[in-house]
Amino acid sequence: MTYETTVIAMLKILHERLRQGHRTASYPSEAPVLPERFRGAPRIVPERCREGCGDCLDACPFGAIEGTAGGPRLDLGRCIFCGACAAACPHGVLEFSRDHRLAARRREDLLAGAEGHRLAYALDGEMRRLFGRSLKLRQVSAGGCNACEADLNVLNTLVFDLARFGIQFVASPRHADGLMVTGPVTENMRFALLESYAALPAPKLVIASGACAIAGGPFRGSPECHDGIGDLLPVDLYIPGCPPHPYTALDGLLRLLGRL
Amino acid sequence: MSPLRAAVPLTNGGAIPLADLPLLGRGHFTGALLAEVAEGARVAAYFAAPAGRVLELYAILARDAHSDLAVLRTEIGSDYPSLASRCPELQLFEREIAEQYGSIPTAHPWFKPVRFHRSWNGRDAWGRGAERPQPAVQEFYRVEGEEIHEVAVGPVHAGVIEPGHFRFQCHGELVMHLEIALGYQHRDVERLLLGGPHPATPHQLETVAGDTSIGHATAWSHVSEALGGGSVPPRGEALRLVALELERLANHVGDIGALAGDVGFLPTAAFCGRLRGDYLNATAVLCGSRFGRGLVRPGGVAAELSDEQAATLRERLATVARDTRGALELFFDTPSVLARLEGTGHVAVEDAAAVGLVGVAARACGLVRDARKHHPLGGYRTAGIEPAVKWGGDVFARAAVRQREIDDSLALVDRTLAALPPGPVRAENGSPRPKSLAVALVEGWRGEVVHAALTDAAGRFSRYKIVDPSFRNWTGLALALRGEQISDFPLCNKSFNLSYCGFDL
């Protein structure tokens, strides 16, 4: 390449760069605006519930809804946010909002009722001191369909710019502070997943990202899957969704680190 | 009956009663299959289904030149002569059947497991004991020699990607052979579908390969409509087309970005990373999900799009289209980028045809294969698709096919949204026909997605066969690496960008 062509190529890049402009979102100072039809945190109004009606329970393909005295409770861990329950309810008891904030620290915190559910709280003490400003994660897909993986990769794009929060995906578990698992854990990936966890230096975190990793997702009950990582690893953060929206994942991570 | 006439014709998206499908003798079946292939037919699917104490073997052939399919059926027992040496595109199908039902294709030239699971009927084709097979535990092909070394990679890779195991035979930097062992993502999808459709069925099919949710949901919907006799209203067909093309756009744009990242050309990598999200967000406008979950359903689509919403979406896409073209132009105009793509990861057209490559990878080798043209369904019947074909067979050709398809899809989506037919988006589908076979081929963004369903006396699935394009194309990646530098593996890999879970099912 001659000097001139190099300069022209560079000018073209700069021109396109100027034209397309700066696109990193102002999150978290500004709340993200998600599409009108996005299904996020459920809103449950039990007063509208009619006794003896189990339409929402029957509509859920994955048994994520439990009928209680205080109205339906939705397990955000099992939920794939298909919206079948909301569509089936003739009384408007249950609907999905555009609120992307879903992540929780404990499995039981994912049960959403009239009062919503308990959002993730921050790590405490030494763990927060160690990871609060710098968190390196190793991602392991254990039967994930590549939607969870793709929407985690998105966090590295300039829109989200994950690195500005001090969070990074790293190439080896030995370099990582935590394991971010996607997929229902296929039997064929169980060993590799446990080996990856063992390779992480302590203290270490485990994050279950997506309906599959939390409770098996669409493959709950498959004889070749483990219904998520719950029985295999100690989980520090659950990120619901099928797949979780990138903002849902980012929100969960920042809450874990006490940054939101 | 002459062998040539033995195959029963079927159009894409059609169904036939099993009673109309003769059970051919083995020789007859083989003769007809090889004759069809010699005439230019491709094997779209090849699978077994239990029938009492025996297995029935189905071959679904795609006759692109005639825009139709042809079906053959025979019976196999615990072993049968392999056809893989005479028709290499069968080799993986025969191994799959062996793994599922323990039926051995004798004299198969490369007889290894595919996904490493227990057989479905307790008969193990490799005579392995009662213990569960472990993934990638097999004899790998080895090149012997003093200076030869072996490189093993995976199942856990360095990036945020799915697992698989790659075994390279290298002489210095030079790759002499690559063998790919998959199966880590095996979730047992096909068996979960038995007796269906179940309430979970649509969701499981949308996650066969999550980046092809629309492609698989569309194929399943066509199969359901073929069995149920339902027809899709024109507006529903148009919105399905928009959804499938948006899926193509998101992934193709993402792939160009990934290629740019791999050759260290950051402007396009950065632009395309963002733009891919813009296409996903456009899909989310349709149905709330960036991956199109819940959108395509038997009878049409599950969500209405008003003319005003369509106009807004069109405007929004016009901006994204301009930015996309800008990002792609930089990439394809930069000599240092082209120098890395041209001649890298070459697959010869004869090899591509022999192993039965589909989609982008096939078209980049000069093969004119695009189900949207040869076997069009729904909105594609009138879309006038001209397949994007390049001849190079290298990384550049695979990138260039994507570039052309991005342009074509942008125009097609714009045209379709501008003139959405009026009316409803979904119609009732009838109850499924009993004892029938239904087949649908859909050109997903990677290539041909094939779904075939057999129903029982009650119209439930007694066998559901899924052929993701990745099932055909991983072999292409292995071929592309021969004679390459091992350091170019990531680039070659991205140029195919295949699905692990789509292969593993």
Side-chain angles (χ1 to χ4, degrees):
Chain A
M1 247 183 355
T2 65
Y3 175 73
E4 286 78 11
T5 53
T6 310
V7 170
I8 291 169
M10 189 182 73
L11 288 174
K12 270 194 193 163
I13 292 170
L14 288 173
H15 175 257
E16 191 59 26
R17 170 76 179 76
L18 282 169
R19 206 184 62 72
Q20 299 213 11
H22 176 263
R23 300 295 184 97
T24 303
S26 317
Y27 182 86
S29 60
E30 278 176 36
V33 181
L34 299 186
E36 221 170 286
R37 293 173 180 178
F38 176 76
R39 289 177 294 275
R43 301 279 179 259
I44 297 171
V45 189
E47 298 78 57
R48 296 186 189 154
C49 215
R50 301 294 152 86
E51 210 168 311
C53 166
D55 289 358
C56 59
L57 276 74
D58 297 339
C60 181
F62 303 105
I65 306 177
E66 188 196 352
T68 71
R73 284 180 89 76
L74 176 57
D75 178 356
L76 299 180
R78 282 199 196 185
C79 180
I80 64 158
F81 297 81
C82 68
C85 50
C89 177
H91 315 298
V93 176
L94 206 155
E95 56 184 41
F96 289 88
S97 72
R98 286 158 79 188
D99 187 349
H100 66 281
R101 297 168 304 164
L102 295 167
R105 289 293 306 279
R106 298 177 306 174
R107 186 67 184 83
E108 59 270 28
D109 290 347
L110 290 172
L111 293 174
E115 65 298 339
H117 75 291
R118 187 179 179 192
L119 285 175
Y121 49 89
L123 293 167
D124 52 17
E126 184 64 3
M127 294 291 268
R128 182 154 172 199
R129 195 188 66 77
L130 280 171
F131 302 136
R133 289 178 300 167
S134 166
L135 179 69
K136 309 291 176 200
L137 295 171
R138 173 60 252 188
Q139 199 274 333
V140 174
S141 169
C145 74
N146 201 29
C148 279
E149 293 77 3
D151 259 357
L152 286 177
N153 265 322
V154 159
L155 294 177
N156 286 321
T157 64
L158 50 85
V159 178
F160 298 90
D161 193 13
L162 188 64
R164 72 190 152 124
F165 302 105
I167 308 170
Q168 225 184 336
F169 289 107
V170 294
S172 164
R174 298 221 186 270
H175 305 158
D177 306 312
L179 208 57
M180 193 160 203
V181 186
T182 53
V185 188
T186 50
E187 177 53 26
N188 278 351
M189 264 307 280
R190 187 174 54 89
F191 178 71
L193 173 67
L194 296 177
E195 286 289 290
S196 300
Y197 177 73
L200 252 73
K204 47 191 164 185
L205 296 169
V206 175
I207 300 168
S209 189
C212 282
I214 301 173
F219 300 99
R220 188 175 175 79
S222 162
E224 287 285 323
C225 299
H226 287 265
D227 292 349
I229 61 174
D231 293 340
L232 299 167
L233 296 172
V235 181
D236 298 284
L237 181 70
Y238 297 91
I239 305 176
C242 186
H245 193 280
Y247 276 122
T248 303
L250 191 50
D251 168 82
L253 289 170
L254 295 181
R255 280 178 197 283
L256 179 72
L257 301 181
R259 307 273 293 274
L260 273 185
Chain B
M1 214 188 309
S2 86
L4 270 175
R5 288 217 207 106
V8 176
L10 178 68
T11 48
N12 189 20
I16 41 165
L18 290 177
D20 294 353
L21 204 58
L23 196 60
L24 304 173
R26 187 85 43 76
H28 204 157
F29 174 91
T30 303
L33 185 134
L34 294 175
E36 290 281 354
V37 170
E39 296 263 298
R42 303 181 291 110
V43 181
Y46 193 76
F47 60 96
R53 298 176 61 116
V54 296
L55 287 171
E56 286 181 354
L57 177 62
Y58 291 81
I60 294 167
L61 306 167
R63 301 191 285 205
D64 294 345
H66 305 282
S67 284
D68 75 350
L69 310 176
V71 188
L72 292 162
R73 174 163 76 149
T74 188
E75 230 173 55
I76 53 173
S78 58
D79 59 72
Y80 63 104
S82 164
L83 298 177
S85 297
R86 294 156 80 185
C87 180
E89 59 182 313
L90 288 177
Q91 67 92 10
L92 198 54
F93 287 115
E94 289 184 345
R95 287 160 57 191
E96 181 185 45
I97 293 165
E99 190 168 49
Q100 290 170 343
Y101 298 104
S103 189
I104 299 168
T106 51
H108 189 291
W110 195 260
F111 193 49
K112 304 180 184 200
V114 179
R115 305 189 178 100
F116 303 92
H117 58 76
R118 279 201 189 94
S119 89
W120 293 352
N121 56 7
R123 198 162 66 191
D124 190 273
W126 291 270
R128 296 169 295 189
E131 261 180 56
R132 187 181 203 290
Q134 292 299 308
V137 175
Q138 63 170 27
E139 288 289 320
F140 283 92
Y141 180 84
R142 286 190 77 149
V143 179
E144 299 290 347
E146 234 175 74
E147 293 180 338
I148 301 298
H149 65 107
E150 193 177 63
V151 180
V153 182
V156 178
H157 302 302
V160 182
I161 52 169
E162 297 179 66
H165 183 78
F166 300 84
R167 195 73 71 93
F168 299 88
Q169 309 293 317
C170 296
H171 182 243
E173 283 286 294
L174 182 84
V175 178
M176 305 186 76
H177 180 77
L178 161 63
E179 190 165 348
I180 303 170
L182 300 174
Y184 294 92
Q185 302 284 70
H186 179 59
R187 296 150 299 174
D188 218 357
V189 177
E190 287 185 354
R191 274 203 300 173
L192 293 175
L193 299 172
L194 290 179
H198 305 292
T201 295
H203 310 292
Q204 287 167 349
L205 286 166
E206 284 179 332
T207 47
V208 162
D211 49 30
T212 314
S213 293
I214 303 279
H216 280 284
T218 306
W220 167 65
S221 296
H222 286 309
V223 162
S224 305
E225 288 146 15
L227 290 169
S231 64
V232 180
R235 195 178 181 87
E237 288 186 335
L239 288 174
R240 275 188 185 177
L241 179 148
V242 168
L244 191 64
E245 294 309 313
L246 284 175
E247 188 168 81
R248 191 178 323 279
L249 282 162
N251 285 292
H252 279 8
V253 169
D255 285 351
I256 299 282
L259 287 170
D262 265 358
V263 300
F265 188 65
L266 298 186
T268 299
F271 288 138
C272 286
R274 177 196 105 226
L275 290 161
R276 177 178 167 278
D278 290 339
Y279 292 108
L280 296 177
N281 290 337
T283 303
V285 167
L286 299 176
C287 66
S289 157
R290 283 157 58 88
F291 294 84
R293 301 284 163 80
L295 178 60
V296 179
R297 288 293 179 267
V301 292
E304 168 64 277
L305 189 78
S306 70
D307 289 341
E308 295 72 46
Q309 286 168 320
T312 315
L313 184 58
R314 228 181 124 215
E315 264 170 49
R316 187 167 153 176
L317 283 171
T319 314
V320 183
R322 198 168 60 234
D323 289 354
T324 303
R325 291 197 182 97
L328 261 56
E329 241 166 66
L330 289 183
F331 183 76
F332 286 97
D333 277 359
T334 303
S336 62
V337 167
L338 302 183
R340 291 284 286 109
L341 310 184
E342 284 169 353
T344 307
H346 179 259
V347 180
V349 61
E350 311 80 62
D351 292 341
V355 301
L357 295 194
V358 293
V360 171
R363 292 191 285 277
C365 295
L367 295 175
V368 188
R369 291 182 177 178
D370 190 326
R372 295 175 300 167
K373 177 176 175 70
H374 303 300
H375 309 279
L377 290 174
Y380 291 103
R381 290 197 181 99
T382 51
I385 298 286
E386 273 312 316
V389 177
K390 302 284 170 186
W391 279 93
D394 53 2
V395 174
F396 174 77
R398 289 186 282 276
V401 166
R402 288 183 173 95
Q403 183 192 28
R404 239 288 302 280
E405 293 185 357
I406 287 168
D407 257 333
D408 292 353
S409 293
L410 282 169
L412 181 56
V413 167
D414 186 66
R415 215 160 60 223
T416 310
L417 284 175
L420 281 180
V425 295
R426 192 172 180 184
E428 280 294 311
N429 192 26
S431 46
R433 283 208 237 165
K435 297 200 171 195
S436 297
L437 163 73
V439 184
L441 272 60
V442 167
E443 193 70 20
W445 65 274
R446 277 195 190 91
E448 185 178 281
V449 173
V450 184
H451 284 208
L454 294 174
T455 54
D456 62 17
R460 315 294 294 180
F461 298 145
S462 59
R463 180 81 173 92
Y464 198 96
K465 182 77 209 103
I466 299 165
V467 188
D468 186 85
S470 299
F471 189 76
R472 328 298 306 268
N473 285 1
W474 277 108
T475 312
L477 175 61
L479 292 175
L481 255 288
R482 287 202 179 162
E484 279 303 325
Q485 300 218 349
I486 191 167
S487 50
D488 271 341
F489 174 69
L491 186 61
C492 293
N493 189 28
K494 297 269 173 37
S495 76
F496 281 85
N497 189 14
L498 302 175
S499 172
Y500 297 75
C501 55
F503 179 98
D504 291 342
L505 299 179

Short mmCIF file of all heavy atoms in Angstrom, two decimals, chain B residues 269-306:
data_model
loop_
_atom_site.label_atom_id
_atom_site.label_comp_id
_atom_site.label_asym_id
_atom_site.label_seq_id
_atom_site.Cartn_x
_atom_site.Cartn_y
_atom_site.Cartn_z
N ALA B 269 -15.41 -3.94 13.26
CA ALA B 269 -15.77 -4.80 14.40
C ALA B 269 -16.66 -4.04 15.37
O ALA B 269 -17.69 -4.55 15.83
CB ALA B 269 -14.50 -5.28 15.11
N ALA B 270 -16.30 -2.79 15.66
CA ALA B 270 -17.07 -2.00 16.62
C ALA B 270 -18.43 -1.63 16.05
O ALA B 270 -19.45 -1.78 16.71
CB ALA B 270 -16.29 -0.74 16.99
N PHE B 271 -18.45 -1.16 14.80
CA PHE B 271 -19.72 -0.77 14.18
C PHE B 271 -20.69 -1.96 14.13
O PHE B 271 -21.85 -1.86 14.51
CB PHE B 271 -19.51 -0.28 12.75
CG PHE B 271 -18.85 1.08 12.65
CD1 PHE B 271 -17.87 1.32 11.70
CD2 PHE B 271 -19.23 2.11 13.50
CE1 PHE B 271 -17.27 2.57 11.60
CE2 PHE B 271 -18.63 3.37 13.40
CZ PHE B 271 -17.65 3.59 12.45
N CYS B 272 -20.19 -3.09 13.62
CA CYS B 272 -21.08 -4.23 13.40
C CYS B 272 -21.58 -4.83 14.72
O CYS B 272 -22.70 -5.32 14.79
CB CYS B 272 -20.39 -5.30 12.56
SG CYS B 272 -20.28 -4.81 10.83
N GLY B 273 -20.75 -4.78 15.75
CA GLY B 273 -21.20 -5.26 17.06
C GLY B 273 -22.45 -4.51 17.49
O GLY B 273 -23.43 -5.10 17.97
N ARG B 274 -22.42 -3.22 17.30
CA ARG B 274 -23.58 -2.39 17.66
C ARG B 274 -24.75 -2.63 16.70
O ARG B 274 -25.89 -2.79 17.11
CB ARG B 274 -23.18 -0.92 17.60
CG ARG B 274 -24.30 0.03 17.88
CD ARG B 274 -23.94 1.44 17.44
NE ARG B 274 -24.63 1.79 16.22
CZ ARG B 274 -24.07 2.37 15.17
NH1 ARG B 274 -22.78 2.63 15.16
NH2 ARG B 274 -24.78 2.67 14.12
N LEU B 275 -24.44 -2.67 15.40
CA LEU B 275 -25.50 -2.79 14.39
C LEU B 275 -26.26 -4.11 14.50
O LEU B 275 -27.47 -4.16 14.30
CB LEU B 275 -24.91 -2.63 12.99
CG LEU B 275 -24.43 -1.21 12.68
CD1 LEU B 275 -23.46 -1.21 11.51
CD2 LEU B 275 -25.62 -0.30 12.41
N ARG B 276 -25.53 -5.15 14.85
CA ARG B 276 -26.19 -6.44 15.06
C ARG B 276 -27.32 -6.27 16.09
O ARG B 276 -28.43 -6.76 15.90
CB ARG B 276 -25.17 -7.46 15.55
CG ARG B 276 -25.76 -8.79 15.85
CD ARG B 276 -24.69 -9.79 16.29
NE ARG B 276 -25.33 -10.95 16.87
CZ ARG B 276 -25.75 -11.00 18.12
NH1 ARG B 276 -25.56 -9.98 18.93
NH2 ARG B 276 -26.35 -12.07 18.56
N GLY B 277 -27.00 -5.54 17.15
CA GLY B 277 -28.00 -5.28 18.18
C GLY B 277 -29.18 -4.50 17.65
O GLY B 277 -30.32 -4.71 18.07
N ASP B 278 -28.93 -3.60 16.71
CA ASP B 278 -30.03 -2.82 16.14
C ASP B 278 -31.02 -3.72 15.40
O ASP B 278 -32.23 -3.51 15.44
CB ASP B 278 -29.50 -1.74 15.18
CG ASP B 278 -28.76 -0.64 15.94
OD1 ASP B 278 -29.00 -0.50 17.16
OD2 ASP B 278 -27.95 0.07 15.32
N TYR B 279 -30.49 -4.75 14.71
CA TYR B 279 -31.39 -5.69 14.02
C TYR B 279 -32.14 -6.56 15.03
O TYR B 279 -33.32 -6.86 14.84
CB TYR B 279 -30.61 -6.56 13.02
CG TYR B 279 -30.08 -5.77 11.85
CD1 TYR B 279 -28.73 -5.48 11.73
CD2 TYR B 279 -30.95 -5.26 10.89
CE1 TYR B 279 -28.24 -4.73 10.67
CE2 TYR B 279 -30.48 -4.51 9.83
CZ TYR B 279 -29.12 -4.24 9.72
OH TYR B 279 -28.66 -3.49 8.68
N LEU B 280 -31.44 -6.97 16.08
CA LEU B 280 -32.13 -7.75 17.12
C LEU B 280 -33.23 -6.91 17.76
O LEU B 280 -34.33 -7.40 18.03
CB LEU B 280 -31.13 -8.20 18.20
CG LEU B 280 -30.03 -9.17 17.77
CD1 LEU B 280 -29.10 -9.45 18.95
CD2 LEU B 280 -30.62 -10.48 17.27
N ASN B 281 -32.94 -5.63 17.97
CA ASN B 281 -33.95 -4.76 18.57
C ASN B 281 -35.13 -4.56 17.63
O ASN B 281 -36.26 -4.38 18.08
CB ASN B 281 -33.34 -3.42 18.96
CG ASN B 281 -32.40 -3.57 20.15
OD1 ASN B 281 -32.51 -4.52 20.92
ND2 ASN B 281 -31.47 -2.65 20.30
N ALA B 282 -34.87 -4.60 16.33
CA ALA B 282 -35.97 -4.50 15.37
C ALA B 282 -36.87 -5.73 15.49
O ALA B 282 -38.10 -5.62 15.42
CB ALA B 282 -35.42 -4.38 13.95
N THR B 283 -36.26 -6.89 15.69
CA THR B 283 -37.06 -8.10 15.90
C THR B 283 -37.88 -7.97 17.19
O THR B 283 -39.03 -8.39 17.26
CB THR B 283 -36.14 -9.34 15.97
OG1 THR B 283 -35.38 -9.40 14.77
CG2 THR B 283 -36.95 -10.62 16.12
N ALA B 284 -37.26 -7.36 18.21
CA ALA B 284 -37.96 -7.16 19.48
C ALA B 284 -39.15 -6.21 19.33
O ALA B 284 -40.11 -6.28 20.09
CB ALA B 284 -37.00 -6.66 20.55
N VAL B 285 -39.09 -5.34 18.33
CA VAL B 285 -40.25 -4.48 18.06
C VAL B 285 -41.43 -5.35 17.64
O VAL B 285 -42.57 -5.11 18.02
CB VAL B 285 -39.91 -3.45 16.95
CG1 VAL B 285 -41.18 -2.77 16.44
CG2 VAL B 285 -38.92 -2.43 17.46
N LEU B 286 -41.15 -6.41 16.89
CA LEU B 286 -42.22 -7.29 16.42
C LEU B 286 -42.86 -8.08 17.56
O LEU B 286 -44.06 -8.27 17.59
CB LEU B 286 -41.69 -8.28 15.37
CG LEU B 286 -41.10 -7.71 14.07
CD1 LEU B 286 -40.54 -8.84 13.22
CD2 LEU B 286 -42.16 -6.95 13.30
N CYS B 287 -42.01 -8.58 18.47
CA CYS B 287 -42.56 -9.54 19.44
C CYS B 287 -42.03 -9.39 20.86
O CYS B 287 -42.37 -10.19 21.72
CB CYS B 287 -42.27 -10.96 18.96
SG CYS B 287 -40.52 -11.34 18.95
N GLY B 288 -41.18 -8.41 21.12
CA GLY B 288 -40.67 -8.23 22.48
C GLY B 288 -39.37 -8.97 22.75
O GLY B 288 -38.68 -8.67 23.71
N SER B 289 -39.04 -9.96 21.91
CA SER B 289 -37.82 -10.74 22.13
C SER B 289 -36.81 -10.45 21.02
O SER B 289 -37.17 -10.43 19.84
CB SER B 289 -38.15 -12.24 22.14
OG SER B 289 -37.01 -13.00 21.82
N ARG B 290 -35.57 -10.20 21.40
CA ARG B 290 -34.53 -9.89 20.42
C ARG B 290 -34.26 -11.08 19.51
O ARG B 290 -33.70 -10.93 18.43
CB ARG B 290 -33.24 -9.50 21.16
CG ARG B 290 -33.26 -8.11 21.72
CD ARG B 290 -32.29 -7.93 22.87
NE ARG B 290 -30.90 -8.20 22.60
CZ ARG B 290 -30.01 -7.32 22.14
NH1 ARG B 290 -30.40 -6.11 21.85
NH2 ARG B 290 -28.76 -7.66 21.97
N PHE B 291 -34.63 -12.27 19.96
CA PHE B 291 -34.37 -13.46 19.15
C PHE B 291 -35.65 -13.97 18.47
O PHE B 291 -35.66 -15.05 17.90
CB PHE B 291 -33.72 -14.54 20.02
CG PHE B 291 -32.34 -14.13 20.47
CD1 PHE B 291 -32.17 -13.33 21.60
CD2 PHE B 291 -31.22 -14.47 19.74
CE1 PHE B 291 -30.91 -12.91 21.99
CE2 PHE B 291 -29.96 -14.06 20.12
CZ PHE B 291 -29.80 -13.28 21.26
N GLY B 292 -36.71 -13.19 18.59
CA GLY B 292 -37.95 -13.56 17.90
C GLY B 292 -38.71 -14.68 18.57
O GLY B 292 -39.54 -15.34 17.93
N ARG B 293 -38.45 -14.88 19.85
CA ARG B 293 -39.16 -15.95 20.56
C ARG B 293 -40.65 -15.64 20.61
O ARG B 293 -41.05 -14.52 20.92
CB ARG B 293 -38.62 -16.09 21.99
CG ARG B 293 -37.14 -16.38 22.07
CD ARG B 293 -36.84 -17.82 21.73
NE ARG B 293 -35.44 -18.03 21.41
CZ ARG B 293 -34.47 -18.17 22.33
NH1 ARG B 293 -34.75 -18.07 23.62
NH2 ARG B 293 -33.24 -18.40 21.97
N GLY B 294 -41.42 -16.66 20.31
CA GLY B 294 -42.87 -16.52 20.42
C GLY B 294 -43.52 -15.86 19.23
O GLY B 294 -44.73 -15.68 19.22
N LEU B 295 -42.75 -15.50 18.22
CA LEU B 295 -43.33 -14.76 17.10
C LEU B 295 -43.98 -15.68 16.05
O LEU B 295 -45.15 -15.53 15.71
CB LEU B 295 -42.26 -13.89 16.44
CG LEU B 295 -42.72 -13.08 15.23
CD1 LEU B 295 -43.84 -12.14 15.61
CD2 LEU B 295 -41.56 -12.30 14.62
N VAL B 296 -43.20 -16.63 15.55
CA VAL B 296 -43.70 -17.49 14.47
C VAL B 296 -44.42 -18.70 15.07
O VAL B 296 -43.84 -19.43 15.88
CB VAL B 296 -42.55 -17.94 13.55
CG1 VAL B 296 -43.08 -18.84 12.45
CG2 VAL B 296 -41.84 -16.73 12.96
N ARG B 297 -45.66 -18.87 14.69
CA ARG B 297 -46.45 -19.98 15.21
C ARG B 297 -47.27 -20.58 14.08
O ARG B 297 -47.54 -19.89 13.09
CB ARG B 297 -47.40 -19.48 16.32
CG ARG B 297 -46.69 -19.13 17.64
CD ARG B 297 -46.12 -20.37 18.30
NE ARG B 297 -45.41 -20.13 19.54
CZ ARG B 297 -44.10 -19.91 19.65
NH1 ARG B 297 -43.35 -19.86 18.57
NH2 ARG B 297 -43.53 -19.74 20.82
N PRO B 298 -47.65 -21.87 14.21
CA PRO B 298 -48.48 -22.47 13.18
C PRO B 298 -49.69 -21.59 12.88
O PRO B 298 -50.34 -21.10 13.79
CB PRO B 298 -48.91 -23.80 13.81
CG PRO B 298 -47.79 -24.14 14.74
CD PRO B 298 -47.31 -22.83 15.28
N GLY B 299 -49.93 -21.35 11.61
CA GLY B 299 -51.05 -20.51 11.19
C GLY B 299 -50.66 -19.08 10.89
O GLY B 299 -51.43 -18.33 10.33
N GLY B 300 -49.44 -18.68 11.26
CA GLY B 300 -49.02 -17.31 10.98
C GLY B 300 -48.03 -16.80 12.00
O GLY B 300 -47.07 -17.49 12.33
N VAL B 301 -48.26 -15.58 12.47
CA VAL B 301 -47.42 -15.03 13.53
C VAL B 301 -48.31 -14.65 14.70
O VAL B 301 -49.50 -14.38 14.54
CB VAL B 301 -46.62 -13.79 13.06
CG1 VAL B 301 -45.57 -14.17 12.03
CG2 VAL B 301 -47.53 -12.69 12.53
N ALA B 302 -47.70 -14.63 15.89
CA ALA B 302 -48.49 -14.44 17.11
C ALA B 302 -48.70 -12.97 17.46
O ALA B 302 -49.39 -12.66 18.42
CB ALA B 302 -47.82 -15.17 18.26
N ALA B 303 -48.08 -12.07 16.70
CA ALA B 303 -48.23 -10.66 17.04
C ALA B 303 -48.54 -9.84 15.80
O ALA B 303 -47.90 -9.99 14.76
CB ALA B 303 -46.96 -10.14 17.71
N GLU B 304 -49.51 -8.96 15.93
CA GLU B 304 -49.91 -8.08 14.83
C GLU B 304 -48.90 -6.93 14.71
O GLU B 304 -48.23 -6.58 15.69
CB GLU B 304 -51.32 -7.55 15.16
CG GLU B 304 -51.82 -6.41 14.32
CD GLU B 304 -51.99 -6.79 12.85
OE1 GLU B 304 -50.99 -6.74 12.13
OE2 GLU B 304 -53.12 -7.10 12.44
N LEU B 305 -48.74 -6.41 13.53
CA LEU B 305 -47.94 -5.20 13.33
C LEU B 305 -48.80 -4.26 12.49
O LEU B 305 -49.16 -4.61 11.36
CB LEU B 305 -46.62 -5.53 12.62
CG LEU B 305 -45.60 -4.38 12.55
CD1 LEU B 305 -44.88 -4.21 13.88
CD2 LEU B 305 -44.58 -4.60 11.45
N SER B 306 -49.13 -3.12 13.06
CA SER B 306 -49.99 -2.19 12.32
C SER B 306 -49.21 -1.53 11.20
O SER B 306 -47.97 -1.55 11.20
CB SER B 306 -50.54 -1.12 13.26
OG SER B 306 -49.50 -0.25 13.64
#
